[in-house]
Amino acid sequence: MKGEKLIFEKSRKGNRGYSLPPLDVPSQKLADLLPEKSLRKEKAALPEISESEVVRHYVNLSQMNHGVDTGFYPLGSCTMKYNPKINEDVARLQGFAALHPYQKEEMVQGAMRLLKDIEEYLCQIGGMDKTTLQPAAGAHGELTGLMLIRAYHKKNGNPRKTIIIPDSAHGTNPASVTMCGYDVVEIPSDEKGCVDLEALKEVLDEDVAGLMLTNPNTLGLYDENIEEICQLVHGVGALLYYDGANANAIMGYSRPGDMGFDVIHYNLHKTFATPHGGGGPGSGPVGVKEKLVPFLPVPVVEEDGEKLYFNYDLPDSIGKVRSFYGNFGVVVKAYTYIRMMGPDGLKRVSEDAVLNANYLMEKLKMTYDLPYQRRCMHEFVLSGSKQKKDHGITTRDIAKMLLDFNIHPPTVYFPLIVEEALMIEPTETESLETLNEFIQVMEKIAEMAQDDPDRIRESPFNTPVRRLDETKAAREPVLKWQPES
Amino acid sequence: MGKHYLPQTDQTRKRMLEEIGLQSVEELFNCCIPPGVRFQGSLDLPPALSEMEARKHLEGLAGENQSTAELVSFLGGGVADHYIPSAVDHIISRSEFYTAYTPYQPEVSQGTLQNIFEFQSMICLLTGLDVANASMYDGGSALAESAWMAHGSTRQNKIMISRTVHPEYRQVVQTYADAIGLEIVEIPFKDGLTDYDLLEKSADKKTAAVIIQQPNFFGLIENTEKVGQITGNLTKTLFVAALDPISLGLLKPPGEYGCDIAVGEGQPLGNPLSFGGPHLGFFAARDKLLRKMPGRIIGITEDVEGQRGFVMTMQTREQHIRRHRATSNICSNQALNALAAAVYMSLMGREGITEVAEQCLQKTSYLQKGIKEISGFDLAFEGPVFKEFVVKTKKSWDSVEKKMMEQGILPGIDLKRFYNELENHFLVCVTEKRTKEEMDKFLNALEGI
């Protein structure tokens, strides 16, 4: 069999991958320390393997992964940029990694200084007044931000009922809305790919608690009516939420706070170069305008002239959205990134991200459909509908073919408003050579769609496994290994 | 200015601009961003540092902290100072793992996917439950999601939670509950344990979930069988337990005492303290709840050649498919921390997880006995504990803490900050890392107060 055996399949009784010092206190009978009925009858059947085999197992697994360090990863809206190595080192310094969250404030002033400072940097970048670092991911930031909106309206006498979301929004947006007890009102995009102002006006009323928007949106387009949108929404007393997933496009060029947004979440694992970890840990700090500060989760870091301290005394706070102070280790990495880039560096990041995307868009629109013919920001969305119509090659097929060229496919079939969507975000950390190679590969695939469509349909060939049967996985769920009984 | 992360030179930029018919980068922004919201000037941030300067600066900040590495820590309360084998960090430092994202393309994500599948399996083995997901943000938010899920699957609004559950977890549950109007009923404690009589009296058909922690926040072993009976008599009500994964090396798996959802903080499994995060929450449940579960779930399948492979499955629960009808909004979770946990569990294995748990237990008992001998100090609650326990003292907590810290000892957590009635009570945590010598030092220092 190709592939890697399950770690359980390598287990051999008597093997071990750990060593512990002998117990140095008098040993008592287990039965004297714990009630019989609370004890496990059988040991948990975790694998029994030597350290050398454990390491080989996971190294082999790692080699079946594609990461940013392995190859191009233009996964739209995920900002798969390079993750600087120094960030990994500094987050592991004992002065950070070995801090317990319940140590006295006097002992952790360096860590608190870092928290306080990055809060201010993020406020500056987003044009907001105050930041909480507690949310653990983007979607967690959304939930937190919506809770703040709810708390604000409730304080003013009526929590209201609905949140407006454009049809191009990330899936987390409507899911967060439901978790916060609001109903979703979806509005269509206009022919330019932006918020349809007439549709917005139609649904705006006193029941609306807020509007959630990504700007630039998931089509990579900056909404030129943003000022009017904000005026309209504020006009009915509702608030504006900014999904910061796409903030890599605008650093130093445009700030959500200046656009009129009241709440924003930042994705430190996108814009601020912390690694995505195969699906986390991320970090989703939330920035707010002054009027929402009283509702922030506790604690907030404050300074009394002598020292920094955690303030838990916020009577109107929504409470806590997780334990302790957030994904601190991730925050250390983002802090280091901001300090190393500086204001000009961050601006240059957005410039190169936008330039790279526009370059790709201009080159690829000759081969693939480009539904929205406008200058894009950090990403753009192509459609594979021409290939589908002419050759029966779907976007899924194109994505799988790319794998054989050691390129991670773009985000596919999203946003939902584009047929056979291919959402491409190159990021600023890719060279002209890499972009040109990608263009060549995409052109080659378009040619193959004509000349050798079956090869595309059967791809990939060179990956650790070939196309997988997802239907089988769902119909006959096998969700864990089990010991033979 | 961090230019070494940016491969475009002024020359390549110029060439690219020419090819797309532009003169300057500014034009890209001019054409899209209305002048009214165009940021003028420069962001007010400190100037860029070179890598050498950044390292020095960060080392300086880290140096302003006193870390548990240079002290003797008896701090617990959800995260604790367990030993992390070297291999763990080496493996999570493989950049094929840490620079990948959510395994949307399974053919090039088998490493991440197989690991999550193995992680799910290990969590099921520890908890004795049927299904586990890929991880949650932390113990507190995992518990909050369990309340949300209990509400979703029972359609009832009342959540009963013991006051012996971690105070911060209760706060997180309350915050999530407030957003959708769930009613939270706190069950008081008696002698440090959940008041089971009161629970029995007040739990009813409207109760979506009963939540307890095992061992509880005070380190005490709860009567989980009793809670299982109470929830078992109410047909719909779910029994949720928050657990210390290390304790499951010795303690009965929750699946065997009627628990429906088991969650917990996974930090003790190979993750550094890191000032409270990033860690991971684990989440396991009975089969019947599978379709209500939050988060990613990985399953086995085959490729076109019949070879075994792994994919994300049951995705119709998730936000990217279901949008506002999803079972949760969770997307990015704590995959790399779950990898660390899986590597830890692989290294420890069947024997190691048991031995670590047993060492925690034995050492805790040693320290408890010592404390009982010291005048002015006593155990606050009788009854078996696992790796934490509460000490009450006639002295003031401030003076105790001060004196202990002078000797480089972090003696525990002041419980007054969470429980008004527990003045001059502190929570002590003993992991396998604490030596007899360190505990004797603790006892001597206490004696000297």
Side-chain angles (χ1 to χ4, degrees), chain A residues 225-264:
Chain A
N225 297 320
I226 191 63
E227 291 159 292
E228 191 176 349
I229 293 169
C230 292
Q231 279 164 13
L232 286 169
V233 172
H234 282 149
V236 296
L239 301 182
L240 285 116
Y241 183 94
Y242 183 92
D243 176 338
N246 294 346
N248 208 42
I250 55 164
M251 284 187 290
Y253 277 96
S254 186
R255 306 193 307 172
D258 301 337
M259 297 175 208
F261 286 90
D262 304 289
V263 199
I264 162 177

Side-chain angles (χ1 to χ4, degrees), chain B residues 316-336:
Chain B
T316 49
R317 302 165 298 109
E318 288 194 70
Q319 47 79 24
H320 61 284
I321 308 280
R322 280 292 260 203
R323 298 177 75 86
H324 72 278
R325 277 187 295 274
T327 56
S328 167
N329 70 339
I330 194 164
C331 179
S332 284
N333 45 85
Q334 305 286 123
L336 199 70

Side-chain angles (χ1 to χ4, degrees), chain A residues 18 28 38 40 43 65-66 85 97-99 102-103 107 178 253 278 320 322 335 352 356 363 469, chain B residues 8 13 19 26 57 66 68 98 100 108 112 168 248 250 252 274-276 301 324 351 355 362 365:
Chain A
Y18 73 100
Q28 295 173 262
S38 302
R40 280 191 100 93
K43 291 179 181 173
N65 261 11
H66 181 102
K85 300 307 165 197
L99 294 185
Y102 289 140
Q103 281 182 255
M107 309 178 85
T178 304
Y253 277 96
K320 284 187 82 63
R322 54 155 289 163
Y335 173 91
D352 287 0
N356 280 0
K363 297 284 178 179
D469 186 349
Chain B
Q8 300 302 5
R13 277 166 49 129
E19 296 225 15
E26 288 290 305
H57 170 66
Q66 272 184 285
T68 59
Y98 79 76
V108 291
T112 297
E168 291 210 27
L248 292 172
L250 281 178
K252 188 186 269 188
S274 195
F275 208 34
T301 189
H324 72 278
E351 301 303 323
E355 199 179 331
Q362 297 282 1
S365 172

Side-chain angles (χ1 to χ4, degrees), chain A residues 2 4-7 9 17-18 21 24 28 33 37-38 40 43-45 47 57-58 61-62 64-66 68-69 73 83-85 89 92 94-95 97-100 102-104 107-108 110-111 124 139-140 150 169 171-172 176 178-180 224 227 249 253-254 275-281 312 318 320 322-324 327-329 335 339-340 343 348 351-352 356 358 362-363 375 400 428-430 432 464 466-467 469 473 477-481, chain B residues 2 5-6 8 10 13 15-16 19-20 26 28-29 37-39 43-44 46 48-49 55 57 65-69 76 79 89 93-96 98-101 105 107-109 111-112 114 117-118 120-121 125-126 130 137-138 166 168 171-172 175-176 179 223 225 248 250-252 273-278 299-305 307-308 319 323-324 329 333-336 346-347 349 351-352 355 359 362 365 369 384 401 405 413 436:
Chain A
K2 278 203 304 182
E4 184 72 5
K5 281 184 174 179
L6 289 175
I7 194 146
E9 294 162 349
Y18 73 100
D24 59 356
Q28 295 173 262
L33 296 175
K37 65 171 182 187
S38 302
R40 280 191 100 93
K43 291 179 181 173
H57 175 74
Y58 285 102
L61 287 188
S62 76
M64 294 196 272
N65 261 11
H66 181 102
V68 174
D69 286 358
Y73 211 136
N83 309 126
K85 300 307 165 197
D89 290 352
R92 285 169 167 84
Q94 291 290 281
L99 294 185
H100 191 287
Y102 289 140
Q103 281 182 255
K104 278 179 92 74
M107 309 178 85
V108 292
Q124 174 62 213
H140 205 209
R150 173 177 277 282
T172 49
S176 301
T178 304
M179 281 193 87
C180 196
E224 57 198 12
E227 291 159 292
Y253 277 96
S254 186
H276 285 70
Y312 287 86
I318 57 166
K320 284 187 82 63
R322 54 155 289 163
S323 322
F324 315 122
N327 278 346
F328 175 73
Y335 173 91
R339 291 303 308 263
M340 283 192 65
R348 174 93 180 204
E351 288 174 3
D352 287 0
N356 280 0
N358 276 283
E362 287 298 321
K363 297 284 178 179
R375 289 255 179 248
K400 299 304 177 195
E428 73 282 5
T429 60
E430 298 300 337
L432 179 55
R466 299 194 49 204
R467 279 197 207 197
D469 186 349
V478 179
L479 309 176
K480 64 177 174 189
W481 171 88
Chain B
Y5 308 143
L6 304 175
Q8 300 302 5
D10 290 343
R13 277 166 49 129
R15 220 165 89 200
M16 290 163 73
E19 296 225 15
I20 61 175
E26 288 290 305
L28 285 169
F29 294 89
V37 293
R38 174 71 181 267
F39 180 71
L43 291 170
D44 184 14
L49 300 174
R55 184 180 291 270
H57 170 66
N65 306 314
Q66 272 184 285
S67 89
T68 59
V79 293
D89 198 44
S93 299
R94 295 282 306 188
S95 73
E96 299 92 330
Y98 79 76
T99 72
Y101 198 21
Q105 296 291 338
E107 296 85 354
V108 291
S109 312
T112 297
Q114 182 171 335
F117 178 86
E118 291 174 356
Q120 289 171 186
S121 308
L125 289 169
L126 281 181
D130 305 317
Y137 306 131
D138 73 339
H166 195 308
E168 291 210 27
Q171 239 180 321
V172 179
T175 303
Y176 273 62
N223 187 347
E225 286 70 20
L248 292 172
L250 281 178
L251 295 182
K252 188 186 269 188
L273 298 169
S274 195
F275 208 34
I300 286 192
T301 189
E302 284 175 356
D303 74 359
V304 289
E305 293 174 3
Q307 191 198 331
R308 179 168 74 187
Q319 47 79 24
R323 298 177 75 86
H324 72 278
N329 70 339
N333 45 85
Q334 305 286 123
L336 199 70
S346 300
L347 289 165
E351 301 303 323
E355 199 179 331
Q359 288 217 5
Q362 297 282 1
S365 172
K369 277 190 179 158
E401 190 184 35
M405 297 230 292
I413 300 165
K436 178 169 180 296

Side-chain angles (χ1 to χ4, degrees), chain B residues 2 75 88 107 120 125 164-165 170 191 198 211 235 239 271 273 308 310 316 321 341 383 424 444:
Chain B
L75 294 176
V88 175
E107 296 85 354
Q120 289 171 186
L125 289 169
T164 65
V165 171
R170 279 185 280 131
D191 305 324
L198 255 176
I211 304 177
T235 38
F239 176 4
N271 282 270
L273 298 169
R308 179 168 74 187
F310 302 84
T316 49
I321 308 280
N424 299 324
N444 282 333

